[in-house]
Amino acid sequence: MKITKKTSLAHLLKHHLMEKTLRPLFSQSEIKAYKKRLVPFLIVGMLTANSSYAATCGACARESTQIMNKIQLVASYAKQAAAHATQLQQYQAQLQNMMLNPSAIMPDDLNKLTRGIGEIMSAGNSIGNTYAEVDSNFSKTYNSPLAGDFADRFRSWTTNSQDTLGSAMRAAGLQRDSYTSDTAALNALWNKSQSSQGTVAAIQTLSEINVEQIQHTRKLEQLLSSQNLATSTFMASQNAKAQDKQNVEDVISVMPKPVKLQDMKTKKISVD
């Protein structure tokens, strides 16, 4: 068997009998560089192993790159959700201070607070909607019930998160759909609550919304982390199946061809 640097390291390095032959051909830097590129190649292997992609393999690299980018974004979004939850807790401390001394509330401070809470709510809802669609598409493409379940969970999370503000606004006689952003809706709720119930009651309403949003944001962080692990595990299992199939084909390809009985007679081959 002729071995060149174009030969797949992933396949060759699995065969310990060939290790001595391979080592002189590949430097340590080449092996390290290969390891850094391993994950995208695993995804390509999974895609090409899927019969629905076999006929359109030209798109495999592009598809795998898109999926890889989305998987990498999950981890960053989970960190973002954790940071948002921390920020909301800081806002909660400010709201508690405002309730203790409502006469000292500065309009600019209140505007910054409501804008911050509103922006975090909008960002979380955007993430929830995005990954509901991502998992739904993943489920259809790879026939993955697990991805379909995560799509439903993201939709449910987004609905519950949006209903936190929607319920408070309905109780105040307002409609969330009448406002273009969560920040605008929070400002409207503040103004309505303050005029009808007073400053302390208005702060209490914002505080209750913020507490619920902290809980929602923590749940989003956990959901993103779980989704990332589940997707990575699924793709690894698909690649393992593809690799097992390839290993079997490789073994069969190097096995000696069976000798026909007629050929044995012609060539006078004796069998011990």
Side-chain angles (χ1 to χ4, degrees):
M1 177 180 178
K2 185 179 179 180
I3 301 174
T4 67
K5 289 190 177 183
K6 293 183 179 180
T7 307
S8 171
L9 277 173
H11 169 59
L12 294 176
L13 290 178
K14 287 181 178 295
H15 297 273
H16 64 279
L17 295 177
M18 302 181 68
E19 184 175 355
K20 293 182 180 180
T21 306
L22 291 172
R23 290 301 177 186
L25 296 174
F26 299 95
S27 67
Q28 290 297 321
S29 61
E30 287 175 315
I31 294 175
K32 289 180 179 179
Y34 162 77
K35 290 180 178 179
K36 292 181 179 180
R37 299 192 299 269
L38 179 60
V39 174
F41 290 149
L42 293 181
I43 299 174
V44 171
M46 181 199 70
L47 290 170
T48 54
N50 190 312
S51 59
S52 65
Y53 277 82
T56 58
C57 193
C60 291
R62 177 178 56 82
E63 295 272 354
S64 64
T65 299
Q66 291 175 352
I67 295 173
M68 189 63 197
N69 289 339
K70 290 174 181 176
I71 290 176
Q72 291 174 340
L73 280 175
V74 173
S76 66
Y77 278 140
K79 292 181 180 179
Q80 181 179 328
H84 284 168
T86 299
Q87 185 64 56
L88 289 172
Q89 288 175 331
Q90 294 175 358
Y91 291 152
Q92 189 61 25
Q94 295 179 36
L95 286 168
Q96 290 174 347
N97 289 334
M98 288 181 179
M99 281 189 284
L100 293 175
N101 191 13
S103 61
I105 295 178
M106 300 296 292
D108 287 345
D109 292 337
L110 181 62
N111 289 335
K112 289 180 182 179
L113 191 148
T114 53
R115 183 171 64 250
I117 296 175
E119 289 176 351
I120 289 177
M121 293 177 70
S122 297
N125 292 331
S126 177
I127 293 172
N129 286 324
T130 297
Y131 276 93
E133 182 178 357
V134 168
D135 282 318
S136 179
N137 292 336
F138 192 94
S139 176
K140 294 175 183 177
T141 302
Y142 301 105
N143 191 28
S144 170
L146 184 61
D149 176 66
F150 271 103
D152 292 338
R153 291 168 67 181
F154 275 113
R155 291 191 191 97
S156 177
W157 180 91
T158 303
T159 298
N160 292 334
S161 176
Q162 292 175 336
D163 197 49
T164 295
L165 178 56
S167 296
M169 295 192 72
R170 287 192 295 271
L174 301 172
Q175 293 296 324
R176 171 62 186 86
D177 294 340
S178 300
Y179 302 91
T180 58
S181 68
D182 290 324
T183 298
L186 282 171
N187 285 330
L189 179 61
W190 163 265
N191 292 329
K192 181 66 178 294
S193 300
Q194 185 183 38
S195 62
S196 62
Q197 302 180 50
T199 301
V200 175
I203 296 174
Q204 181 63 38
T205 298
L206 287 179
S207 176
E208 291 172 355
I209 293 174
N210 191 60
V211 168
E212 288 194 42
Q213 199 58 40
I214 291 173
Q215 297 173 353
H216 286 310
T217 307
R218 290 298 186 192
K219 290 179 181 178
L220 178 62
E221 177 191 1
Q222 295 170 1
L223 187 56
L224 287 165
S225 298
S226 298
Q227 192 258 12
N228 196 21
L229 177 61
T231 302
S232 300
T233 301
F234 171 81
M235 299 186 78
S237 67
Q238 291 296 316
N239 182 73
K241 292 177 182 178
Q243 186 62 58
D244 289 342
K245 180 181 178 181
Q246 184 63 49
N247 289 342
V248 171
E249 292 176 353
D250 290 342
V251 171
I252 294 176
S253 67
V254 298
M255 291 178 64
K257 296 181 179 179
V259 180
K260 297 180 180 179
L261 180 59
Q262 184 177 357
D263 292 339
M264 292 176 64
K265 291 179 180 180
T266 303
K267 297 179 181 181
K268 296 181 180 180
I269 298 176
S270 61
V271 180
D272 294 335

